[in-house]
Amino acid sequence: SIVFNEPISSVKHIIMMTLFIILFAYLSAATSVKFAAVFFRDGARTPLRSFPSLSHRVKWTLENRQLTPLGQRQLFMLGHSLHSRYISKEKLLSSKYNQSEVLVRSTDLLHSIMSAQSLALGMYPNQLDKLTTKQLSNEAIWSPPLNLSIAQHVKERLKDSALPYDIPVVGVRSYAWTNDRLLQLESCAAYQRYRKQFYESNKFKEAYEKYKESIEKVCEMLGVDVNRLKGEDIFYFIDFVLAAEFDGQLPELSKSPLLKSLERALADFLIGELTMKDLMERVAVHEFSIILIELIDQVVNKASKYKAALFSSDCYIILGYLLRLIKIGNSNEGVFDITIPFASHIIIDLKQDDAIPDIYKVDITYNEHRIIQEMEYEEFKRKLRELGELRGDWKSVCMIAQCLVECCLECSHKSALRIMVVHKDFYFLFYHVYD
């Protein structure tokens, strides 16, 4: 009996081992990136607002909202890391910029556009290391006379290169802020209204209480009267301090725990704005869900020319996307402090299983923190659509409703009636607003 059962036992063992090996191979099957989307905020910039009381401590050579040299360097370095990831390692993109492979889009703000350009230069450096001031000054191609109106003259100087040393010229798409539904929340009038309400609400007072001591200490250090800062002024004051500290103009704060407290405060205030109404969270992610799904679907259906998309925006938008992605991934927000420092970025990778080509999965990180890991794309798409769904279209939610509300608050019913006659298509929307 024992001799008879030994072969059977061995066969079972072999079968179990084989199944285990197959299962392990399936679970650890290699994947390759088929599409990447990167959403990033501006690098270090000058403040959104000036504070005359600090003009003796902090001096800027640039106007407000301008990208600084440090900000350019930040995005250049981020671009270089993307080069290593998608060009050197994954072989997803060509080593030289190809506008049919990469979509680059930015808000219609100078610091966002310059951030996109800086990132692109880091991603496609080519021969930039050879480009020095000394070489440029010695090159015969720059010597006069320059006759730029004659094509042959230009060709003789630069041969077949568009620019010397193959410096890439990257096309950055942008839309007027009033029409930019993807990267510009300020284009939503309703958001502006709710934002103002937040800084007058108890919700803001509760958030402020958490950081009151830190804010008061920073004000004392800098000689600012904290009692003169009200509501929204506190947000802009923190933005000013963080911008100045990063630029090296407030060294006393560089190693202080107060700095981290201010970063958290800024993020909490932004989260408060975005979550003041669920509607605003949906508005923030609505267009994002549409465009991202459209780009990925084209890749899955083998109908896309784009292999990567780069989106340059501001902290409001990036944080809005992050909050929704955390919900999709059921991530624990407490795993890391949600802050939104300069050059913060969300990287979304669409991966294909090399063993089972029909399976696509999504990996998402925020500033190197994993948010979603290998979620099947169809599940991700369903959840993203649900979270970004609006009752009505974007324009009706953001623009028309707000216009009618403000008009009727500020005018008589007779005037409001005239407005409704002019905008007869929005008659029912008017009653819905006052329902």
Side-chain angles (χ1 to χ4, degrees):
S1 176
I2 296 174
V3 175
F4 179 77
N5 283 329
E6 277 183 350
I8 295 176
S9 180
S10 298
V11 169
K12 285 183 178 179
H13 180 73
I14 292 170
I15 291 173
M16 291 298 293
M17 286 297 294
T18 303
L19 290 174
F20 175 78
I21 292 170
I22 292 172
L23 180 61
F24 179 78
Y26 172 76
L27 293 175
S28 61
T31 59
S32 52
V33 178
K34 296 300 178 183
F35 177 79
V38 183
F39 293 82
F40 55 96
R41 70 159 293 189
D42 48 82
R45 52 158 172 73
T46 52
L48 299 173
R49 282 189 185 175
S50 299
F51 279 82
S53 60
L54 289 172
S55 59
H56 66 290
R57 293 287 307 274
V58 178
K59 300 185 184 298
W60 300 99
T61 57
L62 300 169
E63 296 179 359
N64 289 345
R65 298 176 181 243
Q66 300 298 307
L67 196 68
T68 66
L70 269 177
Q72 295 174 41
R73 177 63 62 85
Q74 281 181 295
L75 271 300
F76 184 90
M77 291 171 66
L78 176 58
H80 194 68
S81 72
L82 297 177
H83 176 98
S84 299
R85 183 171 181 162
Y86 297 118
I87 296 174
S88 301
K89 182 181 177 182
E90 293 289 344
K91 312 295 183 187
L92 175 67
L93 302 172
S94 305
S95 59
K96 290 189 177 183
Y97 170 68
N98 183 341
Q99 61 183 347
S100 65
E101 281 187 347
V102 183
L103 169 67
V104 185
R105 183 171 161 183
S106 169
T107 58
D108 190 26
L109 296 169
L110 189 57
H111 62 269
S112 293
I113 294 172
M114 290 178 68
S115 292
Q117 292 170 334
S118 299
L119 181 139
L121 280 174
M123 203 167 171
Y124 297 99
N126 296 336
Q127 303 298 314
L128 279 178
D129 57 321
K130 297 180 181 178
L131 191 61
T132 66
T133 304
K134 184 177 179 180
Q135 285 174 311
L136 281 176
S137 62
N138 290 337
E139 289 284 0
I141 60 172
W142 309 110
S143 303
L146 292 177
N147 195 336
L148 303 181
S149 61
I150 300 176
Q152 187 58 36
H153 185 83
V154 176
K155 288 179 180 178
E156 287 174 356
R157 297 292 177 110
L158 294 179
K159 307 303 179 187
D160 292 329
S161 299
L163 293 175
Y165 304 111
D166 293 325
I167 301 173
V169 177
V170 177
V172 179
R173 290 176 171 84
S174 66
Y175 296 85
W177 73 270
T178 51
N179 297 321
D180 191 350
R181 303 174 186 180
L182 175 67
L183 301 174
Q184 184 63 276
L185 260 183
E186 290 183 5
S187 62
C188 181
Y191 173 73
Q192 295 300 326
R193 178 168 172 260
Y194 290 130
R195 184 175 192 271
K196 184 177 180 181
Q197 285 182 5
F198 167 71
Y199 287 102
E200 297 170 351
S201 70
N202 289 329
K203 190 175 181 180
F204 167 70
K205 291 176 183 176
E206 291 171 5
Y208 175 70
E209 282 299 318
K210 291 167 57 179
Y211 306 102
K212 181 179 179 181
E213 185 179 348
S214 296
I215 294 170
E216 288 178 345
K217 285 182 178 179
V218 172
C219 286
E220 185 180 352
M221 288 173 63
L222 302 180
V224 173
D225 184 359
V226 70
N227 295 316
R228 298 187 66 179
L229 300 177
K230 304 293 182 183
E232 206 174 3
D233 294 338
I234 297 170
F235 170 86
Y236 287 112
F237 172 73
I238 294 174
D239 173 79
F240 183 96
V241 171
L242 292 178
E245 188 282 326
F246 197 89
D247 198 58
Q249 299 198 55
L250 296 174
E252 62 268 44
L253 276 174
S254 60
K255 295 182 180 180
S256 170
L258 293 172
L259 190 65
K260 198 67 180 176
S261 182
L262 292 185
E263 289 177 349
R264 291 185 186 127
L266 190 77
D268 273 8
F269 295 162
L270 289 173
I271 290 171
E273 293 177 25
L274 289 163
T275 58
M276 185 67 185
K277 298 283 184 180
D278 178 68
L279 174 65
M280 287 302 96
E281 278 194 88
R282 292 181 178 277
V283 165
V285 81
H286 176 65
E287 198 74 9
F288 165 71
S289 63
I290 292 173
I291 290 179
L292 183 60
I293 288 171
E294 182 180 306
L295 287 168
I296 295 180
D297 276 350
Q298 289 175 356
V299 174
V300 171
N301 298 324
K302 310 292 191 294
S304 176
K305 65 179 181 178
Y306 292 122
K307 296 181 180 180
L310 311 174
F311 298 95
S312 178
S313 187
D314 56 33
C315 52
Y316 297 88
I317 287 292
I318 301 302
L319 192 55
Y321 295 167
L322 175 63
L323 295 177
R324 286 307 195 183
L325 292 173
I326 287 174
K327 290 183 179 180
I328 290 174
N330 295 319
S331 303
N332 182 2
E333 297 179 30
V335 171
F336 64 94
D337 291 325
I338 296 182
T339 56
I340 188 80
F342 294 125
S344 289
H345 51 280
I346 298 170
I347 296 179
I348 303 172
D349 284 342
L350 178 72
K351 295 184 175 181
Q352 185 180 41
D353 193 315
D354 293 344
I356 310 174
D358 291 337
I359 294 181
Y360 289 88
K361 296 180 179 180
V362 173
D363 262 9
I364 302 180
T365 58
Y366 170 71
N367 292 351
E368 312 309 319
H369 294 285
R370 178 112 16 219
I371 304 299
I372 294 175
Q373 184 169 10
E374 295 199 346
M375 178 182 286
E376 289 204 10
Y377 171 58
E378 291 302 321
E379 179 186 0
F380 172 76
K381 179 165 71 171
R382 175 180 58 79
K383 290 183 175 181
L384 184 60
R385 275 181 171 160
E386 289 172 358
L387 289 174
E389 185 179 6
L390 286 176
R391 294 178 182 177
D393 60 27
W394 187 94
K395 182 178 287 188
S396 66
V397 170
C398 277
M399 307 302 290
I400 306 303
Q402 175 70 4
C403 173
L404 289 175
V405 169
E406 290 184 347
C407 287
C408 292
L409 288 175
E410 296 174 4
C411 62
S412 66
H413 292 292
K414 185 175 181 180
S415 298
L417 182 62
R418 287 202 299 270
I419 293 170
M420 289 169 61
V421 171
V422 174
H423 298 289
K424 61 182 185 303
D425 294 337
F426 309 121
Y427 180 86
F428 294 105
L429 177 61
F430 172 81
Y431 280 101
H432 174 71
V433 169
Y434 280 85
D435 191 1

